[in-house]
Amino acid sequence: MTTKVAILGFGTVGQGVYQILQNKQKQLTHLTGESVQLCGVLVQDKAKERILPESVLVTDQFDEILAQEPDVIFEAIVGEQPSFSYLTTAIDRRIHVITANKVMFAKHGTHLLDKAANRVGMGYEATTASGTPIIGTITKLLQVNSVTKIEAILNGTSNFILTSMQNEGKSLKTALKEAQDQGFAEADPTNDIEGYDAFYKLMILSQLIYKKQPNWGNVPCEGISNVTAEDLAFAKTNGQKIRHIAAIEEKNGELYAGIKPKALSPAHGLHSVDGVDNAIHIISDLAGPLTLRGPGAGKLSTASAMVEDFVHILQSYPVKLLQY
Amino acid sequence: MTTKVAILGFGTVGQGVYQILQNKQKQLTHLTGESVQLCGVLVQDKAKERILPESVLVTDQFDEILAQEPDVIFEAIVGEQPSFSYLTTAIDRRIHVITANKVMFAKHGTHLLDKAANRVGMGYEATTASGTPIIGTITKLLQVNSVTKIEAILNGTSNFILTSMQNEGKSLKTALKEAQDQGFAEADPTNDIEGYDAFYKLMILSQLIYKKQPNWGNVPCEGISNVTAEDLAFAKTNGQKIRHIAAIEEKNGELYAGIKPKALSPAHGLHSVDGVDNAIHIISDLAGPLTLRGPGAGKLSTASAMVEDFVHILQSYPVKLLQY
């Protein structure tokens, strides 16, 4: 049998998905019993040259993608809309969806998961911490465990800047410029350095763990833009590092969440996390404190999370949902 | 429907399994659609007093356990035999098996997995790194990824001793005594400090990742018994820590494995792992370098791994295999 897939958005992540689907054809067939056929790619600018087989439809019209009757859609677009509309329509048409879109999913994840429940698979590992499998660890490996608290470094750019400021005495401006030159900070770095990126990811984790989110307006969200060289030097004299920490826990049925720079002592599980890595410290009732650390961004790393979701969906659901 | 389970061995881990099954009844039913009923416990000394309901058979005869027709067996006995015989028989009788027995599984895991394939579920998360879900991460979350190399701290006792020697200047003898007093080193610590415990776990990971094991005789295995205060002091002056590292990788189809104390620089992903924790650094082709860190031992932590396996098996297989 053949599974027809479409990719929405052909930037870095979308291209990564394509590359993995191409390079891992045999293994995907071995794992899922299906051969995978790319039937369409949704782009913004059709005229731009792309290395894609002629058989693959390249279009800027979502309707034309739907007309190909894909079984699975990979969504790697940035921003809330039109992604949310596209995925809503896809689920209604009984197409499995896999997304890397954190802003959209933080806002509409609950709605989409409800809609998808018992109908189609919904993969969102790539929305949080890229290839570091935090979503899968909680949903698949800690099902019996109750997670009571998480603390996490969820923004690789902030962590890179703090590491570089503290270890090499650089200014925030210089460190940010370096992050931009190395390609992992955006031209407009507001989302990263003001903490919004970590905020969205924390809300996704909240939904995952507690099946609800705190009122967004009540979550203190502080980025790293006010961290000074003096703060870092002072932390260093105490053997501490300043890290940008997103934390959430439930006490007596209430959620307490916050995002802020925090001085960590060497005994803290996230103290050693340097550079662009992400890391999540998970406190649960049975397994004990676990820490997952890995890349927080990257073409193949993020695409890897999406293709792992794809395999899991094909192993869990009948593929040809339209026929049901 | 009711799932009948039996526990073989009622030491620390077996009791932990019982405790979780009792305390998480509702959640287990929610996750699996089945209610769980403990039908038998295999012990060495029947006369010893135990807090178990009267309805539960307590016996020193495996045949009497089988006569209860359990659907799933939790095996928490120490040593190669009689565990291997018990699990072989159980699989033949189409009983799902979940083991925490690393020595037995390192030697006979391949045989048991082959025997179990397409017939019954076989859970072995608890054999390696206790509640740290390394087995599940590789089997369930990194299916598309090819793992090329792992480096790991797999023996919590050795890591505790090295930490305590380096941080507090203690002798190996004193540090070992402390570990024994705190209950995580055995009265006979040979398996831990000579590296055998880490060796067995590495062989299990080898089987998992590469579907084969190196010839045991060709794997250099060095414990921490020869690490001196001078070695640690010297490492410290270089900003390094000595850690007991088990490593394996495949190059050109050949496996290269080894277990030995190694000086790690701060940039190494395992440098920060102190105390009784275990940690595994996984290099794969897509997701990027991942590190998992968590408890390497503990009653609830190890039992947690077994009950998580239990849920996964019930979600993946028809429970009543005997009826097929």
Side-chain angles (χ1 to χ4, degrees), chain B residues 148-280:
Chain B
T148 49
K149 182 179 179 178
I150 57 166
E151 282 187 291
I153 293 173
L154 295 174
N155 184 264
T157 304
S158 295
N159 207 59
F160 173 86
I161 291 172
L162 291 175
T163 305
S164 165
M165 285 173 77
Q166 184 154 19
N167 291 0
E168 298 159 46
K170 290 185 176 146
S171 70
L172 193 142
K173 205 176 152 188
T174 311
L176 171 60
K177 177 77 173 43
E178 270 184 20
Q180 286 168 328
D181 290 347
Q182 291 182 35
F184 49 82
E186 310 279 335
D188 175 359
T190 313
N191 274 332
D192 291 329
I193 67 170
E194 298 304 341
Y196 307 138
D197 176 80
F199 171 83
Y200 291 127
K201 294 167 179 170
L202 187 67
M203 292 304 103
I204 291 172
L205 291 177
S206 175
Q207 187 63 47
L208 169 74
I209 297 167
Y210 306 109
K211 313 295 174 212
K212 61 185 177 186
Q213 295 183 17
N215 188 321
W216 285 19
N218 295 341
V219 179
C221 179
E222 187 186 336
I224 61 162
S225 54
N226 295 322
V227 176
T228 63
E230 289 70 38
D231 295 334
L232 288 158
F234 182 73
K236 207 172 183 174
T237 58
N238 293 323
Q240 297 178 315
K241 289 179 186 174
I242 295 182
R243 288 291 174 260
H244 189 242
I245 302 297
I248 188 161
E249 66 183 309
E250 193 179 36
K251 282 184 203 160
N252 308 320
E254 287 285 318
L255 291 179
Y256 295 86
I259 293 112
K260 66 172 179 192
K262 205 175 156 183
L264 305 182
S265 299
H268 194 286
L270 301 177
H271 177 272
S272 63
V273 181
D274 287 337
V276 292
D277 272 6
N278 279 193
I280 301 102

Side-chain angles (χ1 to χ4, degrees), chain B residues 43-61:
Chain B
V43 298
Q44 278 191 306
D45 178 5
K46 268 168 60 174
K48 211 163 148 184
E49 203 169 326
R50 289 177 187 88
I51 310 160
L52 280 169
E54 280 186 11
S55 60
V56 176
L57 170 77
V58 177
T59 175
D60 55 10
Q61 298 298 314

Side-chain angles (χ1 to χ4, degrees), chain A residues 97-108:
Chain A
V97 293
I98 296 160
T99 181
N101 188 328
K102 59 184 171 287
V103 174
M104 183 280 297
F105 202 76
K107 287 195 185 164
H108 303 293

Side-chain angles (χ1 to χ4, degrees), chain B residues 71-93:
Chain B
D71 302 301
V72 183
I73 278 179
F74 291 91
E75 187 258 314
I77 311 179
V78 172
E80 189 180 346
Q81 284 293 12
S83 298
F84 176 52
S85 309
Y86 290 168
L87 296 196
T88 305
T89 306
I91 294 171
D92 280 338
R93 299 247 190 149

Side-chain angles (χ1 to χ4, degrees), chain A residues 46-95:
Chain A
K46 270 169 57 174
K48 211 162 148 184
E49 203 169 324
R50 289 176 187 89
I51 310 161
L52 280 169
E54 279 187 11
S55 60
V56 177
L57 171 77
V58 177
T59 174
D60 53 10
Q61 299 298 314
F62 185 56
D63 283 348
E64 293 184 11
I65 295 287
L66 291 177
Q68 297 289 315
E69 303 194 343
D71 302 302
V72 183
I73 278 179
F74 291 90
E75 188 258 314
I77 310 179
V78 172
E80 189 179 347
Q81 284 292 13
S83 297
F84 177 51
S85 310
Y86 290 168
L87 296 196
T88 306
T89 306
I91 294 170
D92 281 338
R93 299 248 190 149
R94 296 216 158 209
I95 299 168

